[in-house]
Amino acid sequence: MGISKMSILKCLGEPRNKLFAARKYLEGLGFSSFHTASKSSVELHSQEEEVVIALGSNVGDRLHNFKEALKLMRNSGINITRHACLYETAPAYVTDQPRFINSAVRAVTKLGPHELLSALKKIEKDLGRTGGIRYGPRPIDLDILFYGKYKVRSDILTIPHERIWERPFVMAPLMDLLGSAIDSDTVASWHSFSGHSRGLTGLWEDLGSESLIGEFGKEGMYRVMPVANGLLDWSRRTSVMGILNVTPDSFSDGGNFKSVESAVYQVRLMISEGADMIDIGAQSTRPTASRISAAEELGRLIPVLEAVVSMPEVEGKLISVDTFYSEVASEAVSKGAHLINDVSAGQLDSNMFKVMADLDVPYVAMHMRGDPSTMQNSENLKYGNVCKEISSELYSRVREAEMLGIPAWRIMIDPGIGFSKKTEHNLDILMGLPDIREEIATRSLAISHAPMLIGPSRKRFLGEICSRPDAAKRDPSTIASVTAGVLGGANIVRVHNVKDNLDAVKVCDAILRQKSSHLKSRH
């Protein structure tokens, strides 16, 4: 839309009948409202518009600033629907200041553009932002990048934001919010505003796109996940998550680590072998497993969790709790767990997403149909294209999680190897991890970039392929499946045998680094 509805009229002092006539004229052109110069009190708006708002912070507790800003935005009539990834970036323009974290959100609001600006400025002030120097340090910075299909021009507001196109730390999260497919007329208009023949995608590619996102710790910009009072860059290397089942009935090691002493011994062993994370499960999710109550699960979990988090050896390691109960998740985090691993992606406890939104820890959303007792029935095993259907079903769960307040930068995805899958489905997944990401990317680039966890360890399909009915004898086939998964883009592998799988992971990471080096040298 070439004409700006915000700047067509400077209507201060205009007679009431002219204002009414102008409004009717604009409505006839398809505009839902018109806006005057910024100091006018007239701003007519009633329908919801989709907006994009960028966030940045480099003063104080940056993650807390983001969390509070999102909460205050929701309280101000800005309903957040999607989150970008989280980036730590070098400062721009004024370089002698702390590093920033940056992201962006899509939202819908009935606030007019200047009302929205006022709401965001109030949030900045409430979170401690003062005048300061232009482009200088600030606890929070909130910028309107897009407002519906409209361009806005006034003395205090320009939309699209005039510096989008030159700022990689704005363009990266902006692109995260879009899918590779244009899903609405509004998104189409955002692409058109770029002035590039291939829209925002072409502009981002011209800037350098993924090549701008470097390795952790280097100058520049990289994706991070907030965890355990730090920032995790999962792209540096593949992480190994050691499995600790404190259950009597898990398929591989049920009953081995029921006592606190045996559990602590196993954790000590896995950490000595190089585990980055320990995943503690107190409820079996093997096929046909019957469900125990949250209270019984907590009774098994908490003594072990308390002992594990107090171990000197776990300093610098991440402790995960494998549960689909929100009550267990909440209690586990209060006792020191760093992330929650939910095999049901919120399907088995309707409160899980709401609870996780307040817990401020990463959340693993795994694909499964039904529950452990029903997941292998004939109905749940029906797939056409398994990777495409996993992508669609898993994304729908993550979308709901976002709507209920879990930012994309705290979400990990797991395609659910062995859960409501036949042997051939599991093999398709191991071959098709890039396809799963690509399919998710059509809807949200942010979620397609999320850390991907896979858990093939000692699963039944490996026994079927290799004629190994004893789960404990499936470690070699686990190593093979882990190798395939890491080379296909998995970022975290969940395994029983840490030592041997870590060796496999190190070789895979070396191969991938070498491949990346060759690709860079060609360009």
Side-chain angles (χ1 to χ4, degrees):
M1 240 172 240
I3 301 174
S4 166
K5 69 172 184 176
M6 301 356 161
S7 58
I8 287 178
L9 291 177
K10 301 296 184 183
C11 63
L12 284 177
E14 292 287 353
R16 182 185 177 97
N17 64 328
K18 286 189 178 182
L19 288 175
F20 179 77
R23 182 175 70 180
K24 298 303 289 183
Y25 172 72
L26 290 168
E27 287 173 347
L29 292 177
F31 295 121
S32 59
S33 61
F34 67 86
H35 302 272
T36 69
S38 62
K39 291 184 174 56
S40 170
S41 61
V42 179
E43 182 158 81
L44 307 172
H45 208 88
S46 60
Q47 74 177 41
E48 280 192 335
E49 297 291 352
E50 188 165 20
V51 300
V52 178
I53 299 168
L55 299 89
S57 173
N58 75 333
V59 172
D61 187 335
R62 300 173 299 173
L63 294 169
H64 176 75
N65 295 340
F66 266 38
K67 180 184 177 183
E68 289 301 304
L70 295 179
K71 182 173 74 174
L72 291 172
M73 286 164 66
R74 291 187 179 95
N75 292 343
S76 302
I78 305 164
N79 300 311
I80 296 167
T81 58
R82 295 192 189 187
H83 308 71
C85 297
L86 188 70
Y87 295 82
E88 189 169 53
T89 65
Y93 308 114
V94 179
T95 57
D96 185 19
Q97 58 177 316
R99 291 177 68 84
F100 278 82
I101 58 170
N102 290 99
S103 192
V105 296
R106 281 171 72 170
V108 292
T109 185
K110 289 186 177 181
L111 298 174
H114 290 94
E115 292 172 323
L116 178 60
L117 177 66
S118 296
L120 297 179
K121 292 300 180 187
K122 182 178 187 306
I123 292 169
E124 290 179 339
K125 184 177 179 182
D126 290 345
L127 293 180
R129 182 170 179 180
T130 55
I133 61 171
R134 186 169 171 81
Y135 307 127
R138 73 291 304 265
I140 195 70
D141 186 28
L142 303 173
D143 287 322
I144 306 170
L145 303 184
F146 291 111
Y147 183 93
K149 304 177 192 177
Y150 306 122
K151 291 184 177 181
V152 182
R153 297 288 183 272
S154 77
D155 54 353
I156 61 169
L157 182 61
T158 300
I159 303 175
H161 193 283
E162 57 191 342
R163 291 188 178 269
I164 292 176
W165 329 117
E166 67 185 51
R167 296 176 172 179
F169 62 88
V170 174
M171 281 296 296
L174 171 59
M175 296 307 299
D176 287 344
L177 296 173
L178 308 178
S180 56
I182 297 175
D183 61 3
S184 69
D185 289 344
T186 299
V187 172
S189 71
W190 299 344
H191 281 281
S192 72
F193 290 158
S194 71
H196 196 287
S197 60
R198 289 181 292 118
L200 293 166
T201 304
L203 192 67
W204 176 230
E205 289 173 356
D206 288 352
L207 280 174
S209 61
E210 284 296 303
S211 69
L212 298 174
I213 300 166
E215 295 179 16
F216 187 85
K218 292 189 176 182
E219 287 302 309
M221 173 173 64
Y222 45 91
R223 291 188 186 96
V224 292
M225 173 169 280
V227 60
N229 298 317
L231 296 173
L232 171 70
D233 177 8
W234 64 93
S235 66
R236 281 185 300 166
R237 61 180 180 83
T238 306
S239 296
V240 176
M241 174 185 277
I243 299 169
L244 178 69
N245 288 318
V246 293
T247 55
D249 54 346
S250 291
F251 76 94
S252 173
D253 52 5
N256 291 353
F257 310 113
K258 287 196 297 181
S259 73
V260 172
E261 294 76 17
S262 61
V264 166
Y265 176 84
Q266 180 67 5
V267 170
R268 188 171 286 122
L269 174 64
M270 290 191 289
I271 288 176
S272 72
E273 292 179 343
D276 302 291
M277 310 174 182
I278 303 295
D279 189 44
I280 307 175
Q283 171 146 212
S284 175
T285 52
R286 62 178 173 77
T288 73
S290 57
R291 191 184 309 188
I292 64 171
S293 68
E296 188 175 351
E297 186 176 332
L298 284 167
R300 294 176 182 174
L301 172 70
I302 296 304
V304 172
L305 177 59
E306 288 178 334
V308 168
V309 298
S310 67
M311 295 170 61
E313 296 92 338
V314 304
E315 186 173 352
K317 306 296 182 180
L318 299 179
I319 305 301
S320 166
V321 167
D322 181 357
T323 184
F324 50 72
Y325 283 131
S326 60
E327 180 185 343
V328 175
S330 183
E331 186 67 15
V333 171
S334 75
K335 297 294 185 182
H338 301 120
L339 60 136
I340 296 300
N341 182 11
D342 179 3
V343 298
S344 79
Q347 293 182 98
L348 299 182
D349 184 336
S350 59
N351 288 324
M352 180 60 93
F353 291 159
K354 292 177 183 177
V355 168
M356 286 303 307
D358 291 328
L359 287 181
D360 270 352
V361 299
Y363 175 69
V364 182
M366 194 195 81
H367 177 269
M368 175 177 64
R369 292 174 173 177
D371 61 31
S373 68
T374 64
M375 64 184 181
Q376 296 302 113
N377 68 28
S378 59
E379 188 62 30
N380 286 327
L381 291 175
K382 287 181 181 176
Y383 294 93
N385 182 320
V386 65
C387 289
K388 192 167 187 175
E389 290 174 51
I390 286 171
S391 302
S392 177
E393 292 167 21
L394 188 55
Y395 177 72
S396 72
R397 301 305 304 150
V398 171
R399 184 92 172 88
E400 184 177 337
E402 278 198 277
M403 295 290 284
L404 290 173
I406 304 177
W409 60 73
R410 285 205 277 113
I411 292 174
M412 302 180 185
I413 55 175
D414 180 345
I417 292 172
F419 288 79
S420 58
K421 316 290 190 305
K422 295 179 182 179
T423 294
E424 57 266 33
H425 298 146
N426 294 317
L427 295 175
D428 283 342
I429 291 169
L430 286 170
M431 290 190 301
L433 297 182
D435 297 332
I436 291 173
R437 286 198 190 272
E438 187 175 343
E439 185 66 28
I440 291 174
T442 62
R443 299 167 173 85
S444 166
L445 288 169
I447 301 304
S448 76
H449 292 313
M452 182 181 287
L453 184 152
I454 60 168
S457 188
R458 299 180 180 174
K459 292 280 173 72
R460 180 182 296 178
F461 80 102
L462 299 175
E464 292 177 356
I465 293 169
C466 300
S467 300
R468 300 290 185 190
D470 184 351
K473 295 183 179 179
R474 298 173 189 163
D475 284 345
S477 54
T478 295
I479 291 168
S481 59
V482 161
T483 299
V486 174
L487 293 177
N491 307 107
I492 305 164
V493 296
R494 183 179 180 273
V495 296
H496 297 85
N497 179 334
V498 169
K499 181 180 177 181
D500 293 339
N501 282 286
L502 178 58
D503 284 351
V505 161
K506 286 180 177 178
V507 173
C508 291
D509 285 350
I511 291 170
L512 293 171
R513 283 194 297 271
Q514 188 77 353
K515 180 180 180 181
S516 176
S517 175
H518 286 321
L519 289 173
K520 287 179 181 177
S521 67
R522 288 176 190 169
H523 294 291

